[in-house]
Amino acid sequence: MTLSVPRRPRRPAYCYCSETEHAEILSRQQRDPLPFEEAMRVHCQSGIRCGHCLWPLEQLFRQQGCYVASPGTE
């Protein structure tokens, strides 16, 4: 007998510091592209808060073609 465990619904990727879903942050970046570090300060309040979502958002921006390198980083 096999027991199946009900799956939890997946929650959208989320920035806890700014209380914003990654999809919304991506949409903002697509509308008004900013260099990555500035985008994170504006959209995620990084530098002030945890920075937990920086790497996932960088990868998302790169996949969607809206990553802009910060001056002096690439």
Side-chain angles (χ1 to χ4, degrees):
M1 180 165 128
T2 305
L3 296 176
S4 68
V5 177
R7 292 182 183 218
R8 289 182 167 177
R10 292 189 80 186
R11 294 183 180 139
Y14 190 78
C15 172
Y16 292 99
C17 297
S18 65
E19 299 180 354
T20 307
E21 290 182 9
H22 286 191
E24 175 59 26
I25 294 169
L26 174 64
S27 177
R28 293 175 187 175
Q29 178 69 2
Q30 289 172 325
R31 279 193 308 267
D32 184 22
L34 298 169
F36 186 71
E37 289 178 12
E38 181 179 354
M40 295 302 93
R41 282 191 301 273
V42 170
H43 303 309
C44 300
Q45 303 170 359
S46 73
I48 302 169
R49 306 275 177 102
C50 78
H52 180 73
C53 61
L54 296 180
W55 189 84
L57 282 170
E58 179 181 344
Q59 299 310 304
L60 180 61
F61 287 8
R62 287 179 185 274
Q63 289 170 356
Q64 297 299 317
C66 60
Y67 177 84
V68 178
S70 297
T73 60
E74 282 193 14

